[in-house]
Amino acid sequence: MKKYKKHWELWLIHWLAWKIWNRHISEWDRAIIIDVIRQDDFKGCKPIFIDEKLEETYWIHVSKETVRNIMIAEKVRENGTKKHHIYRMKRPRKDSYWEMSQFDWSYHKWFEERGEELCLLLDVDDATWNIMHAKLWENEWYKCVVEFRWERMKIHGVPRSIYLDKFSTYKVNHSKAVNTKDVRTNFDRSMRKLWCNLISAHSPEAKWRVERCNYTLQDRLVKELRLAKISTIDEANKFIRNIFIPKYNKQFWVKAKKLWNVHIVLTEEQIKNLDWIFAREVLRSLWNDYVIQYKNKFYQIEQSEAYVVYPKKSLLVAETIGGNVRIYAWKTSEEKTVIFREIDYNTTKRNRAIYRSQKHKLEKDRLRQHEIERKRTKHQLSKEKQKHYKIQRLIDML
């Protein structure tokens, strides 16, 4: 109370307010740091590097965060912000068996040093985590994926949906076609004919069940193939189908929440027409001579009462993996098969050009001969006229 009465409010302030803190940077050191970070030699350097040079050259001991704060205050460095992470909630697995399958591929040296790098196509059930089908291929082309689906559907049927990545075989990734529902890949269009929906994952973590299975197979399957002394694709596929998959499913099987199976069973007609369901389909315009071109081949369209075609009309050309071709009358009440035959249009076109050139040459020869005859006739007429004039002059002289 005596000090309060003597010094009044100043005594209420804590005495540490006037004390310099232990890590205080003197104005002299701060000026040296500012001078260093503004030099051209240190332009673009990171705070930790400048901190090391300050300690080596000027014997100034400060932390890298202090240097960073001074650089930000002097506007030599921008204040960095933390990366914004998109929140992704873990999706629970489906309730029923075969309600959704997760599909992925994995390039790996499955035979280790005994062979080259191969691609493993893998299909995992989302509800039970069972491997439904797995097969080794040389790559992930459209033909490989389609044959993989054929084998899968003939054994187990068609799932309600497939969860996969945005590879060009499954999804059109062009910026102008992303939001267009009519622009689809051949694989997407074929699966929709079988009432199966394709779901594209935005990240590998979204389909983590099949990614985790790939990670497990890259460890276990490689050792199993080594112990079985298998080094060829055919033997490996038989081993995977008959031995490895049943053993894996028995060990890592998870019970589904609901017991019923919701897969789509294919009809006999669909099984017979699988080639044409997964056929590549493109639109081709009909020429004026009722010919369309597809892959450097020419097809002559025949007229029929079952359909109506006319020049400039778009026709649908379907080609199977085996190379068989069908042509449909597009934009009609129903897709009707068009009768056609393959022709050697290039030879016909060349013959037409030769005929036109020969015809033009004959016409030029005829015109040339006609000009020669005309000149000859004119010359003869002039001679006869000269003779007539000479005779007339002689008669006048007499």
Side-chain angles (χ1 to χ4, degrees):
M1 289 298 293
K2 290 180 182 180
K3 290 181 180 179
Y4 174 72
K5 291 177 181 179
K6 183 178 180 181
H7 300 285
W8 295 95
E9 291 84 358
L10 294 176
W11 182 251
L12 297 177
I13 301 173
H14 200 276
W15 63 275
L16 290 176
W18 289 279
K19 185 178 179 180
I20 299 174
W21 64 302
N22 297 332
R23 295 188 180 184
H24 174 71
I25 302 173
S26 64
E27 294 298 330
W28 178 256
D29 291 346
R30 188 180 184 87
I32 294 175
I33 295 173
I34 292 173
D35 183 60
V36 169
I37 64 177
R38 288 189 178 278
Q39 293 179 13
D40 294 336
D41 294 340
F42 290 95
K43 187 177 181 180
C45 295
K46 294 183 178 180
I48 188 171
F49 179 79
I50 297 176
D51 181 35
E52 294 173 359
K53 294 302 176 182
L54 287 171
E55 188 173 356
E56 292 176 5
T57 309
Y58 300 97
W59 299 285
I60 298 175
H61 302 280
V62 292
S63 65
K64 64 177 182 179
E65 294 300 326
T66 303
V67 178
R68 177 182 283 108
N69 292 332
I70 294 174
M71 293 175 71
I72 293 171
E74 296 297 324
K75 297 183 179 180
V76 179
R77 180 185 177 90
E78 294 182 358
N79 188 11
T81 57
K82 291 185 177 180
K83 185 178 179 181
H84 177 67
H85 294 279
I86 301 174
Y87 176 72
R88 292 186 176 94
M89 184 176 61
K90 185 176 179 181
R91 183 186 56 80
R93 58 192 179 96
K94 294 295 182 180
D95 297 337
S96 303
Y97 169 73
W98 210 224
E99 187 175 352
M100 174 189 284
S101 74
Q102 294 192 11
F103 176 72
D104 196 19
W105 48 271
S106 174
Y107 282 97
H108 190 68
K109 281 198 169 185
W110 300 101
F111 300 136
E112 298 176 318
E113 301 301 327
R114 306 188 305 277
E116 298 180 353
E117 187 179 62
L118 298 174
C119 178
L120 178 71
L121 298 179
L122 182 65
D123 203 1
V124 177
D125 181 52
D126 189 76
T128 60
W129 293 20
N130 282 347
I131 297 178
M132 307 311 298
H133 196 46
K135 195 169 185 179
L136 283 174
W137 292 93
E138 296 178 355
N139 46 52
E140 196 197 2
W141 291 349
Y142 179 76
K143 179 181 178 181
C144 304
V145 175
V146 169
E147 291 185 1
F148 178 86
R149 279 289 142 199
W150 284 356
E151 296 178 3
R152 181 70 191 86
M153 289 186 294
K154 289 178 181 178
I155 299 173
H156 301 280
V158 184
R160 297 287 177 177
S161 60
I162 302 177
Y163 208 40
L164 34 70
D165 55 19
K166 294 184 180 180
F167 189 58
S168 58
T169 304
Y170 321 123
K171 189 178 185 299
V172 179
N173 296 311
H174 195 274
S175 58
K176 295 183 179 179
V178 169
N179 297 323
T180 307
K181 296 182 179 180
D182 297 333
V183 180
R184 300 185 184 278
T185 60
N186 285 289
F187 184 77
D188 188 4
R189 189 204 62 255
S190 302
M191 295 307 296
R192 286 181 181 276
K193 288 182 179 179
L194 301 173
W195 303 97
C196 178
N197 185 29
L198 298 186
I199 304 173
S200 299
H202 298 293
S203 64
E205 291 81 9
K207 49 185 182 61
W208 70 274
R209 288 182 178 87
V210 68
E211 295 287 352
R212 185 66 181 84
C213 186
N214 272 328
Y215 180 76
T216 305
L217 294 185
Q218 288 177 5
D219 178 39
R220 290 174 173 265
L221 182 58
V222 172
K223 276 72 173 181
E224 292 284 356
L225 293 175
R226 184 205 304 166
L227 294 175
K229 298 181 179 179
I230 295 175
S231 302
T232 60
I233 296 178
D234 295 335
E235 294 179 355
N237 288 329
K238 290 181 181 178
F239 175 80
I240 292 170
R241 182 175 60 253
N242 299 328
I243 299 175
F244 183 79
I245 291 179
K247 181 181 177 181
Y248 180 92
N249 292 342
K250 184 178 179 180
Q251 183 176 356
F252 297 101
W253 175 77
V254 177
K255 186 177 181 181
K257 296 179 182 178
K258 298 180 182 179
L259 300 179
W260 53 72
N261 189 347
V262 294
H263 74 276
I264 304 170
V265 181
L266 295 177
T267 61
E268 294 182 1
E269 185 179 357
Q270 287 177 331
I271 294 175
K272 291 179 181 178
N273 294 327
L274 278 178
D275 289 346
W276 296 108
I277 291 175
F278 284 92
R280 296 177 181 268
E281 295 181 358
V282 292
L283 287 175
R284 288 292 182 266
S285 180
L286 190 63
W287 296 352
N288 291 332
D289 50 359
Y290 291 87
V291 174
I292 61 173
Q293 181 182 2
Y294 176 71
K295 287 188 176 180
N296 295 328
K297 293 184 179 180
F298 301 90
Y299 300 100
Q300 181 72 56
I301 306 301
E302 304 291 343
Q303 292 289 351
S304 175
E305 296 180 356
Y307 53 85
V308 178
V309 293
Y310 47 85
K312 308 299 181 184
K313 180 181 175 65
S314 295
L315 302 182
L316 187 68
V317 181
E319 182 187 13
T320 62
I321 295 176
N324 299 325
V325 176
R326 280 184 186 176
I327 301 176
Y328 300 96
W330 185 253
K331 295 180 181 178
T332 56
S333 58
E334 57 182 358
E335 294 184 0
K336 298 179 181 178
T337 307
V338 175
I339 303 173
F340 65 93
R341 56 185 174 87
E342 185 178 353
I343 60 172
D344 191 0
Y345 192 78
N346 288 330
T347 305
T348 307
K349 193 175 181 180
R350 186 165 56 251
N351 292 340
R352 290 178 183 176
I354 294 171
Y355 173 74
R356 283 196 299 269
S357 62
Q358 290 179 351
K359 184 178 179 181
H360 184 64
K361 184 178 179 181
L362 291 173
E363 185 66 19
K364 286 178 67 176
D365 293 342
R366 187 184 67 79
L367 292 174
R368 191 182 298 110
Q369 189 67 26
H370 176 71
E371 185 67 19
I372 293 171
E373 293 293 336
R374 188 182 67 78
K375 289 182 178 180
R376 185 181 300 167
T377 304
K378 184 178 180 180
H379 185 66
Q380 289 178 356
L381 289 174
S382 62
K383 282 187 174 183
E384 291 178 359
K385 284 183 180 181
Q386 289 176 6
K387 188 177 180 180
H388 173 71
Y389 290 147
K390 286 182 180 181
I391 293 171
Q392 189 70 26
R393 276 194 230 99
L394 289 173
I395 291 173
D396 294 341
M397 289 175 66
L398 292 174

